[in-house]
Amino acid sequence: MDIFEKIDLNYKLSGEVINVLIHYLMTMVASGGDQRMNRNFVEAIASNMLVKQVNTYEKAVRYIRDQSKVKGKGAASGSSGAASGTRQRSYAKSGGRSGKPEIPIVLDDGSAGTVSDEEFAAMMKKAAEIKAGKKKGALRTP
């Protein structure tokens, strides 16, 4: 079964809207866009049209023009996949600031030393006091 027949059956888009969708996809292919034309991509556009209640020829043309404007803005700002709902991902480390902080790796060189029995007992006592304080605080609050 053809992908457009499936869209017709599953999404219940009108024939004129499907025609505009086909024209849009053909112009994308002809323009040499980097977006691959696969079933998921076409279905994503069809479902987006359905969500935006594109049910007439005029609305379909307006939708395609809006998508072209979004794609044009995305290409101008450097994100060419903005119109299709996908993002370009770069896994290479860049010199700029990334979203995650750089955490230094600390190696155990043995200089930390060991804890004496007295120090260990003092730490355990302090932990018990903190734990008891938390329990009392939990009982006081309703």
Side-chain angles (χ1 to χ4, degrees):
M1 184 179 282
D2 186 48
I3 188 168
F4 298 107
E5 290 174 358
K6 287 183 180 179
I7 288 174
D8 186 30
L9 293 174
N10 295 335
Y11 294 97
K12 305 290 187 215
L13 292 174
S14 66
E16 55 194 12
V17 172
I18 292 175
N19 285 340
V20 172
L21 174 62
I22 292 170
H23 184 269
Y24 174 61
L25 294 171
M26 290 299 120
T27 55
M28 285 183 69
V29 170
S31 68
D34 59 346
Q35 175 65 43
R36 292 184 350 193
M37 298 294 154
N38 60 23
R39 181 179 50 85
N40 291 336
F41 177 70
V42 175
E43 285 186 359
I45 295 173
S47 67
N48 196 14
M49 289 176 123
L50 190 64
V51 166
K52 296 191 181 219
Q53 298 177 348
V54 176
N55 51 11
T56 64
Y57 173 79
E58 291 81 14
K59 288 182 181 180
V61 170
R62 190 175 322 123
Y63 171 83
I64 296 302
R65 287 182 180 160
D66 291 344
Q67 292 301 310
S68 297
K69 287 179 188 175
V70 170
K71 187 173 185 178
K73 288 180 184 177
S77 68
S79 60
S80 62
S84 62
T86 60
R87 286 184 253 161
Q88 297 292 331
R89 295 185 178 144
S90 173
Y91 295 106
K93 288 191 176 185
S94 61
R97 182 176 172 172
S98 67
K100 294 183 180 180
E102 186 74 24
I103 300 174
I105 298 173
V106 179
L107 299 174
D108 184 15
D109 59 357
S111 65
T114 59
V115 179
S116 68
D117 290 336
E118 294 87 23
E119 291 173 326
F120 182 72
M123 285 188 244
M124 292 302 289
K125 183 179 176 186
K126 184 68 173 177
E129 288 173 3
I130 292 172
K131 190 174 181 181
K134 286 184 178 181
K135 284 186 178 179
K136 286 180 185 177
L139 294 177
R140 288 183 194 163
T141 56

